[in-house]
Amino acid sequence: MTPDRFAELAAAHGGDIGRWPQCLREAARAALAADPHRLGAVLAAEADLDRLLDLAPAQGADAALLGRLLEAAPKPRRSASAWWAGLAAGLGLAVATVAGVAVGVASGAGERLDRRADAILAAAYDQPEPDTAAEALEEATDL
């Protein structure tokens, strides 16, 4: 850990290394052991600031201040462009779905699935598989 980084961390976390995040403590103690005069002075200055901050009374925000802050906060914009963008996205997904179904039907995927189902049923009932849909329909009505 460089002395500059040590000083940054001390400014952020205070003059007591025991209050620093656990993952930084070991490296900070090693850096302090390597340069105790310079880094000790950094810690001493930050410890003085810590003592001053500890003396200040803790105050919570009052309801009036919170109300003013909430009133001053920017309001979310509700624009027509956001509505149109959502509508366009929904329409795009709908068109993609319809196109996928159309391609599936046009490619004969449904027919292949029907043939597979016929083969599975024929195997299950130990009968020969029908050659056409008409034969399958005839066999189904004969039962």
Side-chain angles (χ1 to χ4, degrees):
M1 177 179 298
T2 67
D4 290 337
R5 179 68 178 144
F6 186 92
E8 289 173 4
L9 292 170
H13 301 294
D16 181 8
I17 293 177
R19 291 183 173 181
W20 291 21
Q22 182 69 33
C23 60
L24 300 173
R25 292 179 192 167
E26 185 177 329
R29 288 186 179 114
L32 181 61
D35 191 0
H37 296 293
R38 180 177 175 192
L39 299 183
V42 169
L43 285 181
E46 294 302 328
D48 289 341
L49 178 60
D50 289 345
R51 280 190 288 281
L52 287 174
L53 291 173
D54 287 341
L55 293 175
Q59 294 181 350
D62 62 344
L65 174 61
L66 289 175
R68 288 194 311 267
L69 288 173
L70 290 174
E71 284 295 319
K75 305 294 186 262
R77 295 183 328 175
R78 294 182 183 175
S79 65
S81 63
W83 186 84
W84 283 109
L87 179 63
L91 287 175
L93 289 173
V95 167
T97 301
V98 168
V101 169
V103 168
V105 168
S107 69
E111 185 176 323
R112 286 193 301 272
L113 289 176
D114 286 345
R115 288 182 190 242
R116 286 186 186 162
D118 289 343
I120 291 170
L121 288 173
Y125 291 107
D126 205 22
Q127 296 178 357
E129 183 178 340
D131 291 331
T132 64
E135 288 179 15
L137 184 59
E138 287 177 18
E139 290 177 8
T141 56
D142 290 340
L143 297 175

